[in-house]
Amino acid sequence: MTVTNDLERLQRLLDDAGESLSTHFFSASSILHGLLRRAAEQADENGSSELHRVMEDIAGAITALQFQDMATQLIAHTSQRLRNCADQLARDTFGDDEDGTTVVEIAPLRPNPVTQDEMDAGSIELF
């Protein structure tokens, strides 16, 4: 149970960090899109090229945020599995009590909710 509590704290930290990063990246992306339009209107090739590189960096950061989201899903899944194991151990060790049959939460059916295991360049789907 201590491990699942630690996983829940880690989950909250990741959620807070991911939300903050998303907000800042989307704000920066919006500003950069405006700058790109202005650079295109003024035919500023150097400025436009640099802005495109910054947009690629932001896109890479957003991809990393997507992996943060997948890590969050995996932590939640692992936490459910650990709780199921703890419940089963408690039931097998202590058995039922005067209140009735011990309830054990059902373990997740799928072995893993996330199948991706490496970050790769490609298109970005915003969440």
Side-chain angles (χ1 to χ4, degrees):
M1 292 308 291
T2 301
V3 172
T4 60
N5 290 336
D6 289 345
L7 283 173
E8 287 172 7
R9 280 195 299 274
L10 178 59
Q11 177 82 44
R12 286 191 300 272
L13 288 171
L14 281 171
D15 287 345
D16 289 345
E19 187 175 322
S20 179
L21 285 169
S22 280
T23 300
H24 291 292
F25 283 128
F26 287 121
S27 175
S29 178
S30 176
I31 292 167
L32 284 171
H33 278 295
L35 291 172
L36 273 169
R37 280 193 299 276
R38 278 188 251 150
E41 290 168 0
Q42 296 173 359
D44 182 2
E45 293 297 322
N46 283 340
S48 180
S49 174
E50 290 172 348
L51 289 172
H52 279 290
R53 282 199 305 265
V54 172
M55 289 299 292
E56 288 173 0
D57 287 340
I58 287 178
I62 291 171
T63 299
L65 279 171
Q66 290 174 315
F67 275 84
Q68 174 269 333
D69 180 55
M70 288 189 289
T72 297
Q73 291 177 46
L74 188 55
I75 289 170
H77 179 81
T78 302
S79 184
Q80 284 179 323
R81 286 199 169 278
L82 285 171
R83 282 197 185 275
N84 176 265
C85 289
D87 289 348
Q88 286 182 23
L89 284 171
R91 182 191 60 205
D92 294 346
T93 302
F94 301 112
D96 298 330
D97 59 16
E98 64 275 355
D99 293 334
T101 305
T102 304
V103 176
V104 175
E105 186 177 320
I106 298 172
L109 298 176
R110 292 179 29 201
N112 184 350
V114 179
T115 57
Q116 189 73 24
D117 61 2
E118 66 181 59
M119 287 195 337
D120 208 359
S123 63
I124 295 176
E125 182 179 317
L126 302 178
F127 43 96

